[in-house]
Amino acid sequence: MIDIIASLPVPYEVLPDRLHEQLTEAASREGLLDVAYHTVDTPVGSLLLAATEQGLVKVAFDRQDHEAVLAELAKTISPRILRAPARLAPVVRQLDEYFAGGRRAFDVPLDFRLARGFRLSVLEHLPEIAYGRTESYAQVAAAAGSPKAVRAVGTACALNPLPVVVPCHRVVRSDGSYGQYAGGEEAKRTLLTMEAA
């Protein structure tokens, strides 16, 4: 066994990573990689990023249980999921720029298949809320075409499949308090404080 390991073209420790990389490349080339995912450390904790060929489809906080999120994606989109950082590289780069204060809006393809109807209308409006600004749930309801649907805006924000990138953290209560957030109140405070600086 030691002789086999010694004769490998790469160090034994990196072999699993190299094999995984080759598997991912082959799956992608053959059209068998429906959902690629990667995790990235950020000032608001570890984020799970998942993308289809159409674009970024899911951003999940640690507290949402990444394993459960992947299981749900396997059920709702496809079981053909692999860790494939290359597909997520543009998103990771833009997140790094955002958290470093050099980016105010994201410019990556988005796949909104996990949102429909009024929820989708709300999500489509959120990027229009300027960096460093906030809107109330009532303002977002009016902008999305249903002024009385304040509670539905709260639900749309709570179920936003793309937090941070689609900035539901910029939606607050009419009295200025934060309201609920998938990443938790501390994450929302961190994002709003960073953007206000």
Side-chain angles (χ1 to χ4, degrees):
M1 177 70 171
I2 293 173
D3 291 339
I4 294 171
I5 292 172
S7 67
L8 289 171
V10 296
Y12 179 72
E13 298 78 34
V14 301
L15 192 58
D17 289 338
R18 181 72 57 92
L19 290 173
H20 180 85
E21 200 174 288
Q22 290 173 349
L23 172 65
T24 302
E25 288 171 6
S28 186
R29 194 171 46 250
E30 298 295 321
L32 301 174
L33 178 55
D34 295 336
V35 181
Y37 75 91
H38 183 54
T39 55
V40 60
D41 290 327
T42 74
V44 291
S46 177
L47 295 179
L48 171 75
L49 310 173
T52 64
E53 287 188 353
Q54 288 75 39
L56 185 67
V57 73
K58 187 73 178 173
V59 175
F61 291 93
D62 234 354
R63 68 190 309 227
Q64 294 174 288
D65 185 354
H66 291 171
E67 291 301 320
V69 170
L70 290 172
E72 186 61 26
L73 290 173
K75 195 165 39 171
T76 57
I77 297 177
S78 170
R80 299 189 310 190
I81 297 178
L82 279 174
R83 183 176 55 81
R87 185 181 287 178
L88 282 307
V91 181
V92 172
R93 186 187 77 251
Q94 290 191 26
L95 280 167
D96 287 344
E97 293 167 355
Y98 169 76
F99 284 113
R103 173 171 290 278
R104 292 175 172 249
F106 292 89
D107 183 24
V108 292
L110 302 176
D111 182 343
F112 280 111
R113 75 176 72 193
L114 299 177
R116 292 180 178 77
F118 183 69
R119 280 179 48 212
L120 180 57
S121 299
V122 169
L123 298 183
E124 288 172 339
H125 170 71
L126 295 179
E128 296 173 17
I129 304 172
Y131 182 96
R133 304 277 185 188
T134 61
E135 286 186 8
S136 69
Y137 291 99
Q139 289 172 307
V140 174
S146 294
K148 294 182 179 180
V150 175
R151 193 169 296 215
V153 168
T155 300
C157 289
L159 298 176
N160 177 6
L162 299 166
V164 182
V165 176
V166 175
C168 58
H169 60 274
R170 295 179 190 155
V171 183
V172 296
R173 292 182 176 143
S174 297
D175 64 5
S177 62
Y178 291 135
Q180 299 296 312
Y181 188 60
E185 187 175 322
E186 187 56 39
K188 190 168 187 173
R189 177 183 291 110
T190 298
L191 293 169
L192 290 174
T193 302
M194 180 189 78
E195 291 186 3

